[in-house]
Amino acid sequence: TSALFTSNPIQIAVRQLPFYCLIGGVTLIYGWASSYFRDIKYNLFVAYIIYTGGIVGLATVQPGQSAVALGTIALAGVGLAGPLILIITGVQLAVPHHLIATATALVVSCRTLAASIFVAAYSTALSSRLGTYIPSYIARAVTQAGLPASSIGPFIGAFSSHDDAALARIPGVTPAV
C-alpha cells in the first residue's frame, strides 16, 4: 500500500483498517463454526485458503488498482481470523486442563516472536530489493517513454522523494514520462 498508493502514515493506517476490523469480527464466525460443526480442521483449512488468496491477490496488485488492494486486504483479514482463533482452540483442546494457561501463553508468545522476526526479515529483504529493482525498472520505463539518458539519475531522485517541483525542472520530462 505504501509503495503503490500513498506515503502518508495516516492514509496507510486507514487502508489497513479492513484487515484488522474483519479479523476482529470474523473470529466470532470461525468460533461459532468450530463449535457448531465440532471440528477445527476444516475451518482452519478454509481460513488458510482464504488468507492465501488474499495475500496472492495483494501481491499482484498494480498501480491504479486501489479498490482491488482494499478488497484483497479485506480478504486476507477474513482468512487470518481463522488461524488466530482456531490454533489457540486446538492447543487448548490438546493439552491437559492444568496446562491450558501455559500452552495458550506459549502459543501466543511464539506467534508474536515469529511475527517480529519475520516482519523484520521481510522488511529488510523488501527494502534492499526495492532499492535496486525500482531504479532499474524506472530507468527502463522512462527511457522507453523518451527521457534522455542524462536526465535519468535526477528523475529517479526526484521521483523517489516525491518532489514534483524538481520533476518539472528536469530536462526532457514530458507528460508521457
Side-chain angles (χ1 to χ4, degrees):
T1 294
S2 63
L4 295 177
F5 303 111
T6 183
S7 58
N8 181 335
I10 299 295
Q11 290 176 346
I12 291 170
V14 168
R15 292 182 64 84
Q16 293 175 358
L17 280 177
F19 181 77
Y20 294 106
C21 291
L22 283 168
I23 285 175
V26 176
T27 54
L28 300 173
I29 296 169
Y30 281 114
W32 171 84
S34 65
S35 295
Y36 182 79
F37 294 114
R38 303 262 185 227
D39 187 68
I40 62 171
K41 293 184 304 246
Y42 298 110
N43 294 328
L44 195 56
F45 178 74
V46 168
Y48 274 121
I49 295 295
I50 294 170
Y51 183 61
T52 301
I55 295 301
V56 168
L58 193 56
T60 61
V61 169
Q62 299 295 316
Q65 295 179 331
S66 181
V68 173
L70 290 174
T72 55
I73 287 170
L75 187 64
V78 169
L80 187 60
L84 286 178
I85 190 77
L86 297 174
I87 289 174
I88 291 174
T89 302
V91 167
Q92 290 177 345
L93 291 171
V95 300
H97 293 284
H98 67 281
L99 295 175
I100 286 179
T102 305
T104 302
L106 184 62
V107 167
V108 172
S109 299
C110 287
R111 184 182 66 211
T112 304
L113 180 63
S116 299
I117 291 169
F118 288 111
V119 164
Y122 172 77
S123 297
T124 302
L126 181 68
S127 297
S128 66
R129 298 287 292 238
L130 285 179
T132 58
Y133 283 134
I134 287 185
S136 68
Y137 291 158
I138 291 174
R140 188 175 332 126
V142 296
T143 301
Q144 291 173 353
L147 187 69
S150 61
S151 299
I152 291 175
F155 180 85
I156 291 173
F159 185 77
S160 298
S161 63
H162 303 287
D163 189 354
D164 294 333
L167 279 172
R169 292 190 305 266
I170 295 173
V173 172
T174 63
V177 171

